[in-house]
Structure formats: structure tokens, C-alpha cells
Amino acid sequence: MLNTIRQIVLCANKRHVLEQIRCASQALPQLSAEKYNVKRKAFATVQSTDVDYFKSILGNERVLTDDNDVTPFNIDWIKNCRGQSKVVLKPKTTKEVSQILSYCNQRKLAVCPQGGNTGLVGGSVPVFDEIVVNLMLMNSIVTLDEISGALICEAGCILETLDNHVRERNLIMPLDLGAKGTCQVGGNVSTNAGGLRLLRYGNLHGSILGLEAVKADGTIIDCLKTLKKDNTGYHLKHLFIGSEGTLGMVTKVAIHCPVLPKAVTVGFFGVKSFDNILKLYKSAKSSLGEILSAFEMADHDAISITVKNLNLPNPISEYPFYVLVETHGSDEGHDGEKLTRFLSKEMESGLILDGTVTSEPGKMQTIWNLRESIAGAGLVQGYVFKYDVSIPQKHYYDLVPKLKERMGDKATVVCGYGHVGDGNIHINVSVPEYTREVVSLLEPYVFEQVAALQGSISAEHGVGFRKPHYIHYSKDESALRLMRDLKTLMDPNGILNPYKVLPEVD
Ligand SMILES: Cc1cc2nc3c(=O)[nH]c(=O)nc-3n(C[C@H](O)[C@H](O)[C@H](O)COP(=O)(O)OP(=O)(O)OC[C@H]3O[C@@H](n4cnc5c(N)ncnc54)[C@H](O)[C@@H]3O)c2cc1C
């Protein structure tokens, strides 16, 4: 057990906080098609005969057509996008997904694949009347090999449910994110979700051992291998990881689960400047080595709006910046010694001004809860522009002060937080309401700045509906051409998640 620099008594419950955020704004968002001035493509429209066909394969219960039932599937998590779908389908098997897609492809009916609908770039909801195919009922765990750590499950399994399941067998899921209680593993794969522990366990291109997917024409692609090594030709699974439902629907996933760490410790520190955060990161890497599992930062305003809007306690006093360090190891004594040495050294050097360290599960959860709730804290009032970008670490925070100056009193809050270890910063700009004037101040400015710093305009949330027309800031025309060729090859009628990821060709 490590020294607790300052004991904390906190009592927030994550589910409750996410609900609070979600219920904060009950107003229906404007229709995406109007808000973003999008023209409907020449897809067929759903007829009663189509609904009859879907009912013939799924039964009446799993075909939603009532407005009240369909509305939640049309609106994204941050209540920014609203589609106009009239039909939601809930398949239970891969065969049903295949039948649905094959039929839609022949009829040229557009489809929006949907998981937990926690995506933050508008990719998970329709723009017009695309049929929503939600995999929530494909939620069975197929097998778990406790020796290799290979888990096979259906794509609709909730990430947190999977994590609870494998924890009972001394394993953990290799990814963790604030939306884990709602997002589905198929959605995680389709967005190549990053999250809080990518620093330690790598990204999904490494952890996904294999998958099963259904192409637009209904063909089932079986790449559901659990081997660590398989160099037999093209690594097709990678086409589906991060393709945001535009190349196929992921129906099953084989994922490598690391061993449950025997010793976990979380520290939360106050820091004077972003330069000092970078120094601290360098020091943490060398002092903590292989046990470092997360190195997260948040600026003063990010923590202060979370504390204020969601009524969460801050375990330490107010500082310009905060750092959350987590270790995952196998020996409590050994890990504790390392962390204590790191702390003493950096408190003496002045890099850490104040902080708290704990290995008590409830307290660690409360600190994580504060960090994870930042994503939604601004949504409680007004409108939030959220930018999820990668920037080389030495320029990681540069854009936040620039944006503060540019926005002046048009923004109520401009704050930055994120995964320093991955060079991934989230910048939230809160404004009283969404207006074209504010949009023109922010875009394409943010993306131009990111490109000038050799960054990526989407670090982990994807391109979705919100960023296709900015993708050229991160992808060269030759790469975009190959992306279009792949799309044409795999989905010649373009029925899968139209208006997403790929920019329109003039
Ligand atoms: C509070 C909060 C915190 C978050 N934190 C993080 C974070 O730390 N890191 C991170 O990367 N993301 C984060 N996100 C974003 C989001 O949770 C992830 O993108 C997640 O992976 C989406 O999963 P989902 O099941 O909700 O997918 P959805 O939102 O339903 O869909 C996302 C995209 O994937 C497609 N899709 C979904 N399921 C399938 C499928 N089975 N087959 C094919 N395509 C499919 C959809 O069409 C859409 O384009 C956060 C979101 C919230 C609300």
C-alpha cells in the first residue's frame, strides 16, 4: 500500500454522471442535412414492402418503425447530429445481418451501421433516411482462451460487460474509455478507439486478432482467427478496423486480453505549466518504465467545468494543470517503491506541486471518474465544439492558448485535456449556442493549425460525418484515391454509411 499524500473522500458514480450529461439537453438538435447543407444521394426510399421483408426475417419486434422508438437512434450522443431514418433493425445473428445487407444492396437502400451510438463525429447516426442496423442484440461471448487471452465475442457486446467478464478470469480488455458502459466492441473496432490505456496496451490494430464482417452485398468475410502470428497474405482485418462502417459491418471480434494487473496505483498531481508536464512525462517513462499504463493531462478549465457542472470533487487544490498517472504491475511492493521514488524526486524538483496517490479501488475510480467526465461536462450548458487531434508532444498544448485568444468572449470556455503519452489532445470550445459565425472562426482554422504542426485532424474518434471535408489536411490525394478505390471495390453501390469518412468528389 502506498503513502497517500492527501486522503480523498469522493463519492461520484460514473453511470450517474453520464446520464446527467445525456439528459442535460432534451431539445432535439437541428436536422444534420439542414445544419450542414447536405444533398441526399440517389438511394431508394423505404417502402412498406421493404418493411414487410425485414419483418419476415427478424419478426415484428426487431423492426422499429414508430417515430418515438426510432428517434433515439437518429440522434448522436452529443446531440449535434440528427438523421431522418424511419426504420431501425436489430439483427441477432450474422446471417440476419447478411440477409439485411444483401437485400438493401439489391434495392439500393442506404444503411447506417450503429453500435452503442457514443461516437463523437456523427458517424453513428443517419443523415437522411438510411436504415439503422443496430447490433445491440448480438451480444454473446463466444469463447475465452484463458491461456492465450484470446476472447471471441459478438460485435454488440458492451465494452464494460466484456471487461467484467474477463476480469473474473484474471484478464482485462486492452482498451478502456469513458463510454465503456454503453459503447460496443464492434463500434470500438470500427472506430479504432484509443482511450485511456493505449500507452500501455497499444491500439486495436495490434490487439484485434481477427474478426468476422459482412460486406455491403451480404458476403460474410471470415477472418476470425485467434493466432498471434498469421502472415498468410493480406491482413484483411485491418480494412475493417477504423473504417467506421463504410466497408462492412463487423459482426464478431477476436481480441487479445492482457493479464489483470495485480497491483494498480493512481496518482493525481497539480503542475505549474505544460512544459513541466512534458518534463514529468519524460521522467515518468524512465522512472516507471514498463508499469506506466496511463499518463493523462487536463488544464485548469477542463477540471474546473467538470467539478462545477457535474458537481464532482477535485481531490487536490486548484492548479494551472493536472496530471493523472496510473501504473499496472505485478508486484505491489516493487511498483509502490518505484512510484514513491518518482514522486519524492519530482516533488523535490518542483515538477509536482501537490498530489494524491492511492491504490484503493474506490478512490482510484473516483479520480478516473473526474478525468473521464471531462468529455461531457461542457454539454450540460450551451454547445461544445470538440476537437480530437494528434499533435507532436512538444507542440501538444500550443493550440489551446491560440484558440482562447482567437475566440475572445465568443467562447465561454476553451480547454484542453487528453492522452499526453499518445500525443492526443482533446480541445473543447464551449459557446452559448451553435452559430455560423463561431463555426467560421474555428474551422478550418483548427485543422490548418494541426496540419501545420504535422498533426492529425482525428486522433481517435474518426472522421465520421463531421470531418470528411477536412480529411485532406491529414491524408494526401494519393491515399484518398486508394480509399475511394477500396470503397468502390467493397461497396460499389455506396450503401454503407454514406456521407461519412470519404469527402464528396467535386
Ligand atoms: C464519454 C465519452 C468518452 C469517450 N472516450 C473516448 C476515448 O477515450 N477514446 C476513443 O477513441 N473514443 C472515445 N469516445 C468515442 C466513442 O465512445 C468511441 O468512438 C467508441 O468506439 C464508439 O463505439 P460505439 O459502439 O458507441 O459506436 P457508434 O458510436 O455506434 O458508431 C461509431 C462508428 O462505428 C460504426 N459502427 C458501429 N458499430 C459497427 C459495427 N458493428 N460494424 C461496422 N461499423 C460499426 C458506426 O457506423 C459509426 O461510424 C468517447 C465517447 C464518449 C461519449
Side-chain angles (χ1 to χ4, degrees):
M1 177 65 187
L2 290 165
N3 289 338
T4 299
I5 295 176
R6 182 183 294 169
Q7 286 295 323
I8 48 170
V9 184
L10 304 166
C11 60
N13 170 295
K14 177 162 334 129
R15 274 258 168 73
H16 167 70
V17 172
L18 286 180
E19 271 313 299
Q20 213 177 320
I21 295 163
R22 211 153 151 61
C23 298
S25 154
Q26 292 300 341
L28 280 184
Q30 194 183 352
L31 290 174
S32 303
E34 288 170 4
K35 189 168 179 178
Y36 296 98
N37 195 18
V38 189
K39 206 164 156 259
R40 188 182 181 279
K41 292 187 178 183
F43 295 110
T45 48
V46 178
Q47 307 294 317
S48 59
T49 46
D50 300 320
V51 174
D52 290 343
Y53 172 75
F54 296 134
K55 286 185 176 168
S56 77
I57 54 170
L58 303 180
N60 291 355
E61 299 279 284
R62 293 191 281 128
V63 179
L64 309 185
T65 51
D66 183 274
D67 260 4
N68 287 335
D69 295 337
V70 171
T71 299
F73 297 85
N74 267 319
I75 300 174
D76 67 346
W77 194 85
I78 49 172
K79 296 205 162 99
N80 177 64
C81 294
R82 178 156 67 102
Q84 305 164 54
S85 183
K86 303 265 178 278
V87 183
V88 175
L89 305 178
K90 297 183 183 173
K92 271 187 177 166
T93 63
T94 303
K95 187 170 165 221
E96 288 176 355
V97 175
S98 163
Q99 285 172 302
I100 292 167
L101 292 189
S102 161
Y103 180 85
C104 290
N105 192 44
Q106 281 165 36
R107 282 271 297 119
K108 300 205 171 44
L109 288 165
V111 168
C112 176
Q114 193 178 76
N117 195 11
T118 66
L120 297 174
V121 284
S124 53
V125 288
V127 179
F128 291 94
D129 53 349
E130 299 89 277
I131 294 168
V132 176
V133 179
N134 188 301
L135 293 196
M136 61 168 69
L137 299 181
M138 292 186 61
N139 57 2
S140 301
I141 292 169
V142 183
T143 56
L144 175 62
D145 180 335
E146 293 182 31
I147 295 174
S148 68
L151 168 78
I152 300 184
C153 63
E154 289 184 318
C157 289
I158 302 282
L159 179 61
E160 191 170 47
T161 311
L162 292 175
D163 197 53
N164 291 338
H165 178 82
V166 300
R167 267 173 197 272
E168 284 167 17
R169 287 139 187 101
N170 273 324
L171 298 166
I172 52 168
M173 292 300 284
L175 77 162
D176 186 15
L177 41 146
K180 63 171 156 276
T182 313
C183 64
Q184 300 173 7
V185 70
N188 299 150
V189 170
S190 303
T191 53
N192 186 23
L196 306 161
R197 301 205 176 93
L198 187 138
L199 179 68
R200 172 68 178 274
Y201 300 109
N203 79 14
L204 287 177
H205 283 282
S207 306
I208 296 297
L209 301 166
L211 50 76
E212 176 191 80
V214 182
K215 270 175 56 196
D217 66 359
T219 310
I220 300 170
I221 307 290
D222 183 357
C223 296
L224 199 60
K225 294 280 190 310
T226 55
L227 301 168
K228 276 249 172 184
K229 287 184 163 183
D230 175 16
N231 270 353
T232 49
Y234 307 146
H235 288 216
L236 298 175
K237 65 184 178 188
H238 295 298
L239 282 176
F240 299 97
I241 302 172
S243 58
E244 300 179 65
T246 59
L247 298 182
M249 285 203 68
V250 176
T251 44
K252 287 197 189 83
V253 169
I255 188 163
H256 177 254
C257 301
V259 170
L260 176 75
K262 286 199 184 111
V264 180
T265 308
V266 171
F268 190 67
F269 312 128
V271 181
K272 193 174 85 186
S273 63
F274 183 72
D275 274 352
N276 282 1
I277 291 187
L278 284 185
K279 287 179 193 150
L280 200 60
Y281 175 55
K282 201 168 162 219
S283 163
K285 279 200 298 180
S286 87
S287 305
L288 303 173
E290 74 293 345
I291 62 169
L292 183 63
S293 56
F295 191 100
E296 301 280 307
M297 69 75 71
D299 64 17
H300 172 270
D301 291 354
I303 291 295
S304 112
I305 54 159
T306 311
V307 167
K308 193 169 126 227
N309 290 355
L310 302 178
N311 201 19
L312 294 178
N314 175 357
I316 58 176
S317 312
E318 292 197 28
Y319 290 98
F321 291 91
Y322 300 89
V323 164
L324 187 161
V325 172
E326 184 195 63
T327 62
H328 275 189
S330 57
D331 183 320
E332 202 174 313
H334 169 255
D335 297 354
E337 243 170 64
K338 272 183 154 178
L339 194 58
T340 310
R341 254 201 318 270
F342 164 70
L343 271 180
S344 321
K345 181 172 143 227
E346 298 311 351
M347 286 198 80
E348 213 165 284
S349 73
L351 289 184
I352 294 175
L353 299 176
D354 184 14
T356 175
V357 170
T358 180
S359 42
E360 281 180 40
K363 288 176 182 167
M364 291 194 292
Q365 173 63 42
T366 312
I367 293 175
W368 268 120
N369 196 18
L370 181 62
R371 160 64 188 87
E372 291 178 17
S373 301
I374 302 171
L379 303 174
V380 171
Q381 71 214 21
Y383 184 91
V384 185
F385 288 86
K386 297 172 82 65
Y387 298 101
D388 151 54
V389 296
S390 280
I391 299 179
Q393 279 147 337
K394 64 179 177 194
H395 295 297
Y396 183 90
Y397 195 71
D398 289 6
L399 199 45
V400 179
K402 275 192 183 171
L403 272 177
K404 273 190 185 157
E405 198 185 326
R406 185 175 172 87
M407 297 306 292
D409 58 11
K410 296 211 165 47
T412 45
V413 180
V414 177
C415 65
Y417 64 97
H419 321 294
V420 180
D422 316 330
N424 175 190
I425 184 165
H426 299 298
I427 303 174
N428 284 0
V429 180
S430 303
V431 291
E433 61 177 337
Y434 178 97
T435 64
R436 298 228 173 268
E437 189 198 357
V438 178
V439 177
S440 65
L441 273 175
L442 289 166
E443 298 173 16
Y445 176 80
V446 169
F447 304 118
E448 284 168 358
Q449 295 290 312
V450 169
L453 293 170
Q454 312 299 321
S456 166
I457 63 147
S458 178
E460 59 178 6
H461 294 164
V463 177
F465 171 65
R466 301 286 303 281
K467 294 187 183 174
H469 44 299
Y470 298 123
I471 196 172
H472 62 276
Y473 285 105
S474 291
K475 278 268 181 309
D476 176 74
E477 185 48 40
S478 58
L480 280 175
R481 227 175 294 133
L482 181 57
M483 281 172 65
R484 283 199 188 93
D485 289 348
L486 284 168
K487 173 74 177 170
T488 309
L489 178 76
M490 295 179 70
D491 178 17
N493 293 328
I495 62 157
L496 280 175
N497 232 1
Y499 322 104
K500 319 280 171 64
V501 182
L502 286 161
E504 291 304 311
V505 186
D506 285 334

